[in-house]
Amino acid sequence: MQSDFWISSLIPRGLAVQSVSRTEETIDVMARTETLAAVCPLCRSPSRRVHSHYVRQVSDLPCSGRGVHLRILTRRFVCATPHCRRRIFAERFDTTVLP
């Protein structure tokens, strides 16, 4: 029995789906944030200058009998404030996205 569902129902608000791959056992979703900038956690200054990125992975409960793996492309930003001690920081996610 095949169940139809929207992949977007697996994605927390604020993330955009980049790709989806399905196998018999899993659904793998790659997503990224929709924002252009992030706020430095130390000086609270916004930055748009991306330093690098990495992937964070969250596994969720099965959906239609398949394991769900949400991979989130997480960016590291450069703080543009000259007096800030935090030169590089990772974008933060709401607890509804990543606990």
Side-chain angles (χ1 to χ4, degrees):
M1 178 173 129
Q2 181 175 353
S3 340
D4 292 328
F5 65 91
W6 295 97
I7 293 295
S8 61
S9 67
L10 302 174
I11 305 302
R13 184 174 293 166
L15 296 179
V17 175
Q18 285 191 302
S19 66
V20 177
S21 62
R22 300 177 197 181
T23 65
E24 292 293 322
E25 295 88 28
T26 63
I27 301 171
D28 294 312
V29 180
M30 178 64 87
R32 61 172 175 74
T33 58
E34 295 177 320
T35 60
L36 298 176
V39 176
C40 175
L42 194 59
C43 71
R44 311 299 300 162
S45 175
S47 176
R48 289 181 168 220
R49 188 171 161 208
V50 177
H51 176 271
S52 59
H53 64 274
Y54 64 98
V55 176
R56 293 181 71 178
Q57 180 172 316
V58 179
S59 294
D60 205 347
L61 295 173
C63 178
S64 298
R66 297 177 181 169
V68 177
H69 301 285
L70 176 59
R71 292 180 172 87
I72 301 175
L73 185 65
T74 306
R75 298 171 293 177
R76 288 186 185 101
F77 287 86
V78 175
C79 184
T81 305
H83 65 274
C84 183
R85 293 187 328 252
R86 176 80 46 99
R87 299 308 312 151
I88 298 170
F89 63 93
E91 61 188 324
R92 308 289 178 167
F93 297 99
D94 190 287
T95 56
T96 59
V97 177
L98 291 173

